[in-house]
């Protein structure tokens, strides 16, 4: 279900920018076929791919992950939270904590870092990012440097610098509260 939701959001944002699938594909260094598959819910975009699409469409990455973004108040009950994106190939699963407007300046997400993810490439996005380790431990690779973070640790960084975080324990997933923040606040 979330694949169709993301696909609809990609198509909506693409049409809003008056891009053809081919134009978006070229901007993102993808094929038109891959954009079409994403829009039709037939392919799960990698985080880096969705981030690049969001950047090219001038939309926050988090907007693609949410189902309802019209309310001025967002309450998400624990039993109503749903995974919005993610699988083993991506290395993460994302759980949106608030349904917010597309143009909101902040997006809270719980990222579950899967222990088997080790071949994921660093990526960039337009948002600043704050992370707080809820459980487990991660290796944060930021601008070519390695930083070990464990439960209770936090980091704040510019998203336009290549980065990725991977589970530091190959037997245990890590849960990370992540806030994507629009605009450079550093």
């Amino acid at each position: 279900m979330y694949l169709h939701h993301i696909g609809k959001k990609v198509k909506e944002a693409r049409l809003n920018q008056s891009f053809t699938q081919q134009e978006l594909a070229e901007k993102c260094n993808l094929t038109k076929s891959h954009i079409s598959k994403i829009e039709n819910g037939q392919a799960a975009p990698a985080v880096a791919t969705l981030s690049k699409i969001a950047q090219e469409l001038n939309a926050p990455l988090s907007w693609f992950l949410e189902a309802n973004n019209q309310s001025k108040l967002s309450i998400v009950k624990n039993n109503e939270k749903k995974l919005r994106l993610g699988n083993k190939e991506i290395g993460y699963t994302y759980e949106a904590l608030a349904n917010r407007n597309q143009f909101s300046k902040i997006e809270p997400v719980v990222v579950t870092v899967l222990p088997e993810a080790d071949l994921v490439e660093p990526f960039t996005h337009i948002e600043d990012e704050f992370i707080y380790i809820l459980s487990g431990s991660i290796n944060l690779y930021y601008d070519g440097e390695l930083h070990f973070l464990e439960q209770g640790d936090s980091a704040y960084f510019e998203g336009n610098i290549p980065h990725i975080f991977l589970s530091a324990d190959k037997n245990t997933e890590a849960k990370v509260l992540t806030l994507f923040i629009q605009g450079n606040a550093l």
Side-chain angles (χ1 to χ4, degrees):
M1 173 160 183
Y2 70 86
L3 288 181
H4 289 288
H5 167 75
I6 291 169
K8 285 173 62 175
K9 293 278 190 146
V10 169
K11 185 174 183 177
E12 177 184 342
R14 177 180 61 79
L15 293 174
N16 187 47
Q17 294 291 321
S18 300
F19 289 155
T20 65
Q21 285 183 340
Q22 183 64 43
E23 288 168 334
L24 180 59
E26 288 172 5
K27 289 179 176 295
C28 297
N29 202 20
L30 300 169
T31 64
K32 179 180 180 274
S33 172
H34 192 63
I35 294 293
S36 177
K37 286 180 182 176
I38 290 170
E39 287 186 1
N40 291 318
Q42 298 170 338
V47 173
T49 300
L50 191 57
S51 176
K52 181 65 175 163
I53 289 170
Q55 186 173 351
E56 293 299 332
L57 295 176
N58 296 317
L61 173 64
S62 56
W63 182 71
F64 294 98
L65 305 176
E66 299 168 351
N68 174 10
N69 55 18
Q70 303 304 318
S71 178
K72 296 203 184 290
L73 171 66
S74 174
I75 297 174
V76 179
K77 297 286 197 170
N78 187 45
N79 63 348
E80 296 172 354
K81 285 191 265 181
K82 297 180 179 129
L83 291 179
R84 300 291 187 217
L85 175 69
N87 59 34
K88 290 180 182 179
E89 289 76 33
I90 294 172
Y92 298 128
T93 60
Y94 289 86
E95 190 173 17
L97 297 179
N99 295 324
R100 55 180 241 329
N101 184 286
Q102 172 185 357
F103 300 106
S104 177
K105 301 286 188 204
I106 189 167
E107 171 59 26
V109 176
V110 171
V111 177
T112 300
V113 185
L114 304 175
E116 59 271 20
D118 59 359
L119 300 175
V120 181
E121 291 294 317
F123 59 95
T124 62
H125 47 76
I126 58 174
E127 301 94 353
D128 283 357
E129 191 169 342
F130 170 82
I131 61 173
Y132 177 83
I133 313 308
L134 297 170
S135 65
S137 58
I138 64 166
N139 287 317
L140 169 64
Y141 295 90
Y142 186 80
D143 201 17
E145 294 184 17
L146 170 65
H147 305 275
F148 174 78
L149 301 172
E150 58 189 339
Q151 184 175 345
D153 293 344
S154 63
Y156 189 103
F157 50 89
E158 292 181 10
N160 62 353
I161 305 291
H163 65 281
I164 189 112
F165 44 87
L166 301 171
S167 180
D169 180 345
K170 294 304 174 191
N171 297 313
T172 307
E173 66 186 24
K175 289 206 177 280
V176 180
L177 173 63
T178 302
L179 302 177
F180 294 103
I181 303 158
Q182 289 293 309
N184 190 323
L186 285 178

